Amino acid sequence: MDHDEFTGRVEAVKARLYRAAYLYLGSEADALEAVDEAVYQALRGLKKLRQPEFFETWITRILINECHRELRRRKRLTGEEALPDMAGPDEYDHLPLKEAVRRLPEELRQVVVLRFFAGYTQAETAGALEIPQGTVATRQRKALSLLRLELGEGENV
């Protein structure tokens, strides 16, 4: 893959990358920085990409690693787990849903963010998280079940 093709493919997925980073980090500035860093790291490691057809999954994995790095940095600075605020200018900003997703365990929250808010398929999510597709399906079912329970309880109160 040459640099022109790389640039074209990055432009094609940049909006999805930003959306995923924003949902992970909850900050526009941090999301933009994470996407920029992921693109830079991908360009540096372009020779390591053996199968160009998996470019989007590969660069998404790099982005997820960057987001985790930023979340670990926040934790070191504050001394506590710094969950993203997760506020956004879309349907995700509905407060009960936002809070319910925020309280999910990290492995379940990753699947929900990628599948439902960043628009990745189950196969793309599996590739990005480097887990089997069956595991994505299981985590998705578990996360949705927990969200239904939590959001359903709020309606009965």
Side-chain angles (χ1 to χ4, degrees):
M1 178 182 304
D2 64 14
H3 288 287
D4 289 337
E5 184 182 356
F6 176 83
T7 302
R9 292 185 82 171
V10 165
E11 286 304 315
V13 299
K14 207 167 193 174
R16 276 177 100 179
L17 293 174
Y18 169 76
R19 187 169 173 81
Y22 185 81
L23 292 167
Y24 265 94
L25 302 173
S27 158
E28 185 176 335
D30 289 344
L32 289 170
E33 188 174 322
V35 170
D36 286 346
E37 184 62 25
V39 169
Y40 171 72
Q41 292 298 330
L43 182 59
R44 283 188 54 207
L46 191 55
K47 291 181 178 126
K48 295 177 188 173
L49 178 62
R50 291 183 210 113
Q51 296 175 296
E53 64 270 19
F54 296 121
F55 175 81
E56 187 172 352
T57 302
W58 176 70
I59 197 167
T60 300
R61 184 72 215 156
I62 294 169
L63 176 72
I64 290 169
N65 288 336
E66 286 304 316
C67 290
H68 283 214
R69 190 172 293 121
E70 172 60 19
L71 292 172
R72 283 191 305 272
R73 186 189 70 78
R74 288 180 188 176
K75 186 176 180 178
R76 276 194 315 272
L77 292 175
T78 63
E80 57 188 48
E81 186 173 356
L83 291 174
D85 179 31
M86 292 191 189
D90 56 20
E91 69 279 0
Y92 187 63
D93 199 28
H94 182 60
L95 188 60
L97 177 60
K98 178 174 72 171
E99 289 303 314
V101 171
R102 185 178 180 173
R103 285 191 289 272
L104 286 172
E106 175 65 21
E107 66 183 18
L108 302 181
R109 189 171 56 241
Q110 289 176 334
V111 170
V112 169
V113 166
L114 291 176
R115 287 280 293 126
F116 300 108
F117 300 108
Y120 287 85
T121 65
Q122 203 172 61
E124 290 169 334
T125 300
L129 296 175
E130 297 178 335
I131 58 176
Q133 201 167 334
T135 303
V136 170
T138 301
R139 288 180 185 178
Q140 178 181 315
R141 277 193 306 276
K142 186 172 183 178
L144 292 177
S145 177
L146 288 172
L147 289 172
R148 277 189 206 104
L149 268 174
E150 186 161 337
L151 295 172
E153 287 176 4
E155 292 172 5
N156 296 331
V157 174

